[in-house]
Amino acid sequence: MENLQREVCQLFKKHLKKAGISYSDLAEYLNVSEVSVKRLLNQQQPLSMSRMLEIADLIQIPLSNIIHDAEKAALSTPLFSKQQDEAFFNKPELFTLFSKICCKQANYKELMKTFGLDKNSMYLYLRELEELKLIKLTSDLNFRMVVPRHIVFESGSRFPAFYKEKVIDGLKKRIQVLDVEDKTACLNVARLQITQDEFQVLSQKIEELLTEARNLSYNRETHCVNSKEHTVVVMGAEGCFYPTMKSPSTLI
């Protein structure tokens, strides 16, 4: 519902701008202050159905069309822009901050405590994220996200390649030597003789399990005492990637 409301507001802003209708014009039409209009369209206060009908009437677009387009946008997979990808690649600390905001729903006080930042530094980082259109500063150092939490990188983006390499290197060090009693890590390696269709089925099942786990993680309370952060990497490809060991030779 939150995603749908966000998309409805974005569409209203788009069509208002296209029609040349200012916030002050809309405020006069709705008989409210311009501040109230900004709060409504920035999701800082609820946008009722009657208000949506009034705005739709002003821009002369049926509300059913607005909601239909908003539902399509809400259900689609949101992608980081090239500008956002470049910013994260060139300044990884921005992604570190944003991931805490996105995954942990951290506020500015928690971010300052976690990273030992003063208020000036916190503001500068948040302004950079705002300029990248990832968050919106509200008052003091408070902010809200303006992109969905499930936003992902487009195929071929620079930052994920850099980031995945670091993740794999770190995880590799952790699992190189595993104790039989270690229940906090796992490593499974399989050499399979299967068809492409069978591989696709296997890949789909793994993806379904990971999606279920992601949804569980996203919907869980941020400070759930029984949950701990885990890193899972699943890899597989056609071909034999086992090392070719030295063959025995005649000894005499």
Side-chain angles (χ1 to χ4, degrees):
M1 188 63 185
E2 182 184 343
N3 288 347
L4 181 61
Q5 185 86 277
R6 181 192 300 111
E7 296 300 335
V8 166
C9 289
Q10 290 300 319
L11 286 169
F12 277 148
K13 289 179 184 178
K14 174 185 172 183
H15 289 299
L16 285 165
K17 185 176 182 180
K18 191 174 181 181
I21 300 170
S22 67
Y23 281 179
S24 59
D25 294 333
L26 179 58
E28 185 178 350
Y29 183 80
L30 298 177
N31 195 28
V32 298
S33 69
E34 190 173 338
V35 171
S36 294
V37 164
K38 290 179 180 178
R39 289 181 63 82
L40 284 169
L41 294 182
N42 288 321
Q43 294 179 275
Q44 292 173 347
Q45 66 185 57
L47 185 62
S48 66
M49 183 62 71
S50 60
R51 286 296 191 207
M52 286 194 281
L53 284 166
E54 288 180 284
I55 299 172
D57 185 56
L58 178 62
I59 60 178
Q60 297 184 338
I61 297 175
L63 181 58
S64 58
N65 290 9
I66 294 289
I67 292 176
H68 177 264
D69 291 345
E71 285 176 338
K72 284 176 63 178
L75 291 172
S76 63
T77 302
L79 299 173
F80 286 111
S81 67
K82 288 185 178 180
Q83 180 191 11
Q84 291 162 347
D85 174 45
E86 283 295 320
F88 287 150
F89 181 79
N90 293 319
K91 202 168 182 179
E93 59 267 37
L94 285 177
F95 181 81
T96 303
L97 274 174
F98 182 72
S99 63
K100 289 292 183 184
I101 293 169
C102 188
C103 301
K104 301 295 184 181
Q105 301 179 57
N107 58 39
Y108 79 89
K109 290 181 180 178
E110 291 169 329
L111 293 172
M112 288 174 63
K113 183 178 179 181
T114 299
F115 299 111
L117 300 174
D118 57 34
K119 276 200 167 187
N120 288 335
S121 298
M122 187 75 263
Y123 172 75
L124 291 173
Y125 279 123
L126 292 177
R127 276 291 294 133
E128 287 190 75
L129 292 177
E130 184 176 48
E131 288 170 3
L132 290 169
K133 298 180 180 177
L134 294 168
I135 66 165
K136 176 71 176 176
L137 285 165
T138 53
S139 60
D140 193 16
L141 292 178
N142 292 305
F143 59 85
R144 60 180 178 80
M145 285 185 62
V146 295
V147 294
R149 290 178 64 202
H150 61 289
I151 189 170
V152 298
F153 286 93
E154 190 174 6
S155 177
S157 296
R158 296 181 73 190
F159 183 76
F162 160 80
Y163 188 75
K164 287 174 184 175
E165 183 181 344
K166 296 293 183 184
V167 171
I168 291 170
D169 285 347
L171 191 57
K172 188 165 60 175
K173 290 177 183 177
R174 169 67 179 87
I175 64 173
Q176 276 182 336
V177 179
L178 285 178
D179 189 277
V180 68
E181 299 298 326
D182 190 347
K183 305 299 182 184
T184 63
C186 65
L187 172 63
N188 294 293
V189 180
R191 188 172 184 173
L192 308 173
Q193 191 73 26
I194 55 178
T195 66
Q196 188 174 27
D197 287 343
E198 289 167 339
F199 180 77
Q200 288 300 317
V201 170
L202 175 63
S203 180
Q204 182 64 38
K205 286 182 178 179
I206 292 171
E207 180 58 35
E208 288 171 1
L209 286 171
L210 285 176
T211 299
E212 183 180 339
R214 285 192 198 100
N215 291 336
L216 180 65
S217 178
Y218 283 144
N219 294 325
R220 173 164 284 148
E221 289 292 331
T222 309
H223 303 296
C224 178
V225 292
N226 293 323
S227 66
K228 292 184 179 179
E229 195 165 338
H230 288 70
T231 301
V232 178
V233 174
V234 179
M235 293 188 288
E238 182 180 334
C240 180
F241 297 90
Y242 281 72
T244 301
M245 306 301 288
K246 185 177 179 180
S247 299
S249 58
T250 302
L251 298 177
I252 299 176

